[in-house]
Amino acid sequence: MADYTEMWKSLGIDVENHNALLAGLGQAYTDIFLSQKNRPEGMKYFDFVVSEVHGLRIKEIMDAKAQGKKVIGSYCVFVPEELVLAVDGVAVGLCAGAELGFEAAEELLPRNTCSLIKSMFGFKLGKLCPYVESCDVIVGENTCDGKKKAYEIFRPLVKDLYVMDLPQTKSDAGRLMLKEEYRKFIAKLEQETGKKITVQSLKKAIETVNAKRKAMIRLAALRAADPAPISGLDALLINQVFFHDDPARFTDSVNKLCDELETRVKEHKGVMPKGTTRIIVSGCPMAVPNWKLPMLIETSNAVIVGEESCVGERGTRWLTEIKGNTVEELLDAITDRYFNVDCAVFTPNPSRVNHVKEMAKNLHADGVLHYSLQFCQPYIIESGPVEKELENSHIPTLRLETDYSQEDAGQLKTRIEAFNERLKKK
Amino acid sequence: MRYAGIDVGSRTVKLAVLEDGRLVSSRTSATSHNPLGIARDLLKGVEYDRAVATGYGRHLIKGHLDCPVVTEITAFVRGSRFFSTECRAVLDIGGQDTKAISLDENGNLKKFEMNDRCAAGTGRFLEVMATALGFTLEEFAAAALTAQKPEKINSMCTVFAESEVVSLINQGATRNDVALGIHKAIASRSAGLLRRVATDGKIFFAGGVALNPCMRVLLEKETHRHVIVPPDPQIVGAVGAALVASDPL
Ligand code: SF4
Ligand code: SF4
């Protein structure tokens, strides 16, 4: 790897802490990902991306900035990448998945805050994340109460925080509100970049993002095969890289991987033997490098065949219909697309559990593991009804609540193994 | 054929040996800092054809004794059926965690719940409270059984509950009433865990805390369900592991 120290310094990264972070990440990656058997060749690209995640990709972003492009960071799948691309901006997902800088974060936030929010603060306060530091604008979104109040405290810590409001119900009023918020967001983007969104630029952006999502939908469908052609860990990684890689290159790499997986499926080749217990993970998003739970599952004689998560199908399964000949009409199409997202912050939120059921059927899953981050009220509270509904539909379900620490790994492993023993009985 | 089950718990290691479907021997020993050594000692001179390990130290044993493993959950499901074919729920209160498990009519695992990270409501919790009151574990249960009216214990955190106990005594509460209050707190918490997996059917009570007669009485009161305690509740997991070892390969 090239020496990026100067680049990091120029971004204001705490180089010493950052080196420790990269070393830890590299070790975890070797232990968890590179040790897997029968990995597809196509994963080499993603291994490369991870090895250069704070290097080459940041350099590309810096080069884009030098050409006058603006970098827009976001923490949630409700922030439309299409709009950022339409002003020729660079969109990066910032969700952080590591227990870093938590002491500093806990000086500003209650301890009983979900790890995702603490991590968002920890990465910023610890000056650890070159993505955060490279952003010209960071978009916050008023989803759960935790996030929306946290953004109030976050604002003075960053250069430019733009907060977007979000509806809580799937109603006409809610849809209207979302569209208005997106309209305001366009104004902000145009002001920031000095560029106007045109029908042409927006159509092109929609096509780019659609292509990226289509590749993910293709990948998701291939996992219905038994034996599973790719591990859940690898698929999760791809879902995580989805948020910060160059869109066109990413799409290309996923499609290439899918070509390979298609051959595998035809030849009945897989990462684990045919008949391995098949699990769907449903719930809170899993930001990099939060790999604890998938790792525990896949080292317990089971394979993950789908993620019902924002870092998973909830973030990728809908495309934007390209219809209309005005920016206004295209904005309608974008709003329609995003309004589908069935985050637990919506009330009521029946489409989410219906989708889990559908996934279980299509992917021939044996059971669902419901994952909530500790202190995440929307997902933890929803997990009760979700479990009930799934069990009533004869889909065995295990609810787990955890955070980014490793201290409960033993307990989690016992629960996961016991769940697998239950599934094998059938 | 002889089958051995080894249950490496956080507080005790248990061994059970089955022959022709009968329990022929069992042993228990405190876990100490060397669970592997303890397991080896327990196995000394014991003849068996196959063994299976369970309990929180199962993977440690697996690496050294080269035997398959099964989780405590499955081990308790199997073990409970060995002693009672009519139970539909299992409660295991061990040294560091509490499990509630429900079974279907064929004795298969249906659902389970476990307490979270801390030791609230477990055997360890009882030990600390007994010590705080100056009782041995036997005296502690006996005292609770003879109490008049329970003192309410509000905290289930071991550290907070301990200071609550001390201040109750300082305010003049009797040791017996405090002892009963502690037992009640654990019984109602365990009953809550049980209700999450199954709301009716007989309960099979296993694990070290089932040796405490007061807990059984209170659990029946709390749940309005029949509670079965086997002669040696500590070895249920080990028996279950031995049964798994006896499964056709
Ligand atoms: S879970 Fe909700 S708030 Fe979190 S990323 Fe997904 S949509 Fe956004
Ligand atoms: S994980 Fe839950 S609590 Fe945390 S930000 Fe997402 S929705 Fe909010």
Side-chain angles (χ1 to χ4, degrees):
Chain A
M1 195 168 90
D3 187 2
Y4 295 108
T5 313
E6 285 314 311
M7 176 178 79
W8 291 328
K9 272 193 191 147
S10 75
L11 276 169
I13 295 288
D14 181 328
V15 174
E16 204 178 307
N17 282 348
H18 183 256
N19 283 343
L21 163 71
L22 281 196
L25 198 69
Q27 190 56 48
Y29 196 76
T30 307
D31 294 348
I32 297 172
F33 285 89
L34 301 181
S35 66
Q36 297 178 96
K37 291 197 191 89
N38 310 320
R39 289 179 89 209
E41 276 294 303
M43 284 310 294
K44 290 235 164 75
Y45 170 74
F46 298 94
D47 291 341
F48 174 72
V49 170
V50 172
S51 71
E52 285 285 345
V53 69
H54 281 189
L56 203 55
R57 180 63 187 138
I58 297 297
K59 182 160 186 315
E60 287 175 357
I61 291 175
M62 298 311 284
D63 291 347
K65 272 166 87 93
Q67 288 167 22
K69 291 195 184 192
K70 297 290 175 185
V71 180
I72 314 294
S74 66
Y75 288 104
C76 169
V77 297
F78 268 107
V79 180
E81 188 177 349
E82 290 90 337
L83 300 181
V84 176
L85 296 185
V87 290
D88 204 19
V90 179
V92 289
L94 297 175
C95 262
E99 203 176 25
L100 286 163
F102 271 30
E103 294 83 8
E106 284 172 9
E107 285 172 28
L108 299 175
L109 294 165
R111 285 204 61 202
N112 295 359
T113 304
C114 90
S115 295
L116 207 59
I117 296 175
K118 271 198 230 172
S119 185
M120 156 180 137
F121 276 67
F123 274 58
K124 176 67 215 176
L125 294 167
K127 301 195 181 86
L128 283 165
C129 177
Y131 291 94
V132 173
E133 301 308 327
S134 68
C135 284
D136 295 292
V137 179
I138 289 181
V139 187
E141 36 22 83
N142 287 345
T143 40
C144 69
D145 288 353
K147 268 203 192 172
K148 70 186 180 212
K149 296 309 286 185
Y151 288 132
E152 294 173 11
I153 309 174
F154 201 57
R155 182 181 298 282
L157 305 179
V158 296
K159 189 164 121 206
D160 186 359
L161 181 75
Y162 175 84
V163 174
M164 181 184 279
D165 215 356
L166 283 185
Q168 297 179 18
T169 58
K170 298 282 174 91
S171 58
D172 291 346
R175 189 191 167 284
L176 210 64
M177 170 184 174
L178 189 66
K179 188 176 167 196
E180 283 315 305
E181 285 298 319
Y182 286 167
R183 202 196 303 278
K184 277 191 251 167
F185 184 46
I186 291 177
K188 167 72 183 175
L189 288 170
E190 289 180 337
Q191 176 218 334
E192 184 66 27
T193 59
K195 288 186 182 130
K196 269 237 148 309
I197 285 190
T198 64
V199 172
Q200 215 193 351
S201 77
L202 193 49
K203 273 196 178 165
K204 188 163 159 260
I206 294 175
E207 274 164 19
T208 305
V209 181
N210 273 354
K212 176 163 131 168
R213 295 209 174 101
K214 257 189 216 153
M216 294 307 285
I217 294 170
R218 188 177 163 208
L219 173 65
L222 282 164
R223 295 164 74 193
D226 185 15
I230 185 169
S231 70
L233 274 164
D234 280 339
L236 172 66
L237 184 78
I238 298 168
N239 271 299
Q240 291 173 331
V241 170
F242 178 92
F243 290 94
H244 37 74
D245 199 10
D246 172 75
R249 184 175 57 203
F250 175 85
T251 306
D252 208 45
S253 310
V254 176
N255 276 322
K256 273 206 198 100
L257 174 75
C258 288
D259 293 341
E260 184 189 349
L261 297 187
E262 260 166 26
T263 317
R264 280 192 161 205
V265 171
K266 267 193 220 120
E267 294 170 351
H268 306 288
K269 275 197 198 139
V271 278
M272 286 181 218
K274 191 176 161 71
T276 300
T277 306
R278 302 165 68 84
I279 305 256
I280 284 171
V281 177
S282 167
C284 283
M286 288 201 190
V288 227
N290 178 16
W291 302 313
K292 175 173 72 174
L293 200 64
M295 193 266 286
L296 289 171
I297 297 171
E298 295 205 324
T299 52
S300 302
N301 298 321
V303 61
I304 300 168
V305 294
E307 297 78 25
E308 192 276 329
S309 153
C310 291
V311 184
E313 290 202 16
R314 204 184 307 125
T316 55
R317 74 182 159 123
W318 300 277
L319 301 178
T320 303
E321 223 183 304
I322 309 182
K323 61 170 191 220
N325 292 307
T326 58
V327 169
E328 182 67 21
E329 283 167 345
L330 291 171
L331 184 60
D332 263 316
I334 289 178
T335 308
D336 286 341
R337 187 265 162 203
Y338 282 88
F339 202 50
N340 287 320
V341 174
D342 37 19
C343 172
V345 300
F346 279 91
T347 180
N349 189 34
S351 73
R352 184 177 156 227
V353 68
N354 289 335
H355 180 234
V356 183
K357 282 202 247 174
E358 216 174 275
M359 281 178 76
K361 188 164 149 252
N362 295 342
L363 298 169
H364 315 290
D366 298 300
V368 171
L369 202 148
H370 192 283
Y371 158 77
S372 314
L373 277 170
Q374 216 177 7
F375 310 121
C376 167
Q377 288 177 350
Y379 282 92
I380 292 175
I381 295 180
E382 197 164 284
S383 72
V386 166
E387 176 192 38
K388 215 180 201 165
E389 173 79 24
L390 293 176
E391 289 276 352
N392 285 343
S393 313
H394 309 288
I395 302 168
T397 305
L398 176 70
R399 286 192 291 166
L400 292 178
E401 212 182 296
T402 182
D403 58 15
Y404 291 171
S405 73
Q406 295 300 323
E407 65 184 30
D408 61 346
Q411 271 229 5
L412 288 175
K413 187 144 178 78
T414 297
R415 290 178 202 212
I416 293 166
E417 284 182 13
F419 186 54
N420 286 346
E421 287 164 0
R422 174 185 170 199
L423 298 180
K424 257 190 274 163
K425 281 274 151 52
K426 292 195 312 165
Chain B
M1 296 272 272
R2 288 165 74 91
Y3 304 101
I6 310 151
D7 178 358
V8 185
S10 63
R11 308 286 292 171
T12 40
V13 184
K14 298 79 123 177
L15 168 73
V17 183
L18 297 179
E19 187 166 10
D20 301 328
R22 281 180 308 115
L23 180 63
V24 291
S25 73
S26 68
R27 296 177 183 179
T28 52
S29 176
T31 299
S32 85
H33 59 280
N34 180 10
L36 184 63
I38 301 284
R40 284 209 169 110
D41 283 348
L42 284 182
L43 280 168
K44 248 185 216 134
V46 175
E47 280 176 31
Y48 60 88
D49 298 285
R50 272 209 301 274
V52 162
T54 188
Y56 104 110
R58 64 190 179 283
H59 289 292
L60 175 77
I61 300 291
K62 175 192 180 176
H64 286 85
L65 299 183
D66 194 26
C67 63
V69 296
V70 68
T71 62
E72 301 91 289
I73 316 284
T74 296
F76 276 98
V77 166
R78 296 292 300 272
S80 65
R81 291 289 283 191
F82 180 84
F83 293 103
S84 152
T85 48
E86 32 170 14
C87 63
R88 295 297 290 276
V90 181
L91 175 69
D92 159 48
I93 309 186
Q96 255 167 34
D97 51 27
T98 305
K99 303 174 201 74
I101 309 166
S102 61
L103 317 178
D104 67 16
E105 57 281 0
N106 301 318
N108 292 322
L109 168 60
K110 244 168 82 180
K111 277 216 74 69
F112 64 90
E113 290 274 349
M114 279 167 80
N115 67 318
D116 280 313
R117 303 170 187 207
C118 71
T122 64
R124 179 81 194 125
F125 181 86
L126 275 174
E127 274 175 24
V128 172
M129 296 313 132
T131 309
L133 286 170
F135 287 131
T136 64
L137 275 179
E138 291 73 29
E139 291 164 355
F140 186 41
L145 277 171
T146 57
Q148 300 302 316
K149 68 170 198 358
E151 289 289 344
K152 184 149 173 46
I153 301 293
N154 295 299
S155 180
M156 287 303 279
C157 160
T158 315
V159 176
F160 289 152
E162 192 179 3
S163 51
E164 233 187 303
V165 163
V166 172
S167 76
L168 279 170
I169 294 294
N170 286 342
Q171 286 161 29
T174 71
R175 288 204 298 164
N176 291 11
D177 289 349
V178 176
L180 181 58
I182 293 163
H183 281 76
K184 274 195 81 143
I186 297 181
S188 90
R189 194 185 168 96
S190 308
L193 207 60
L194 270 166
R195 273 193 291 272
R196 289 178 78 143
V197 297
T199 44
D200 50 19
K202 291 184 181 170
I203 297 162
F204 186 85
F205 188 13
V209 173
L211 291 167
N212 178 321
C214 182
M215 284 307 297
R216 202 198 97 210
V217 174
L218 292 177
L219 259 181
E220 288 203 323
K221 268 199 196 142
E222 277 283 341
T223 58
H224 305 290
R225 289 154 71 177
H226 186 64
V227 173
I228 304 162
V229 179
D232 188 352
Q234 279 188 293
I235 61 156
V236 175
V239 169
L243 285 167
V244 173
S246 75
D247 284 346
L249 289 176

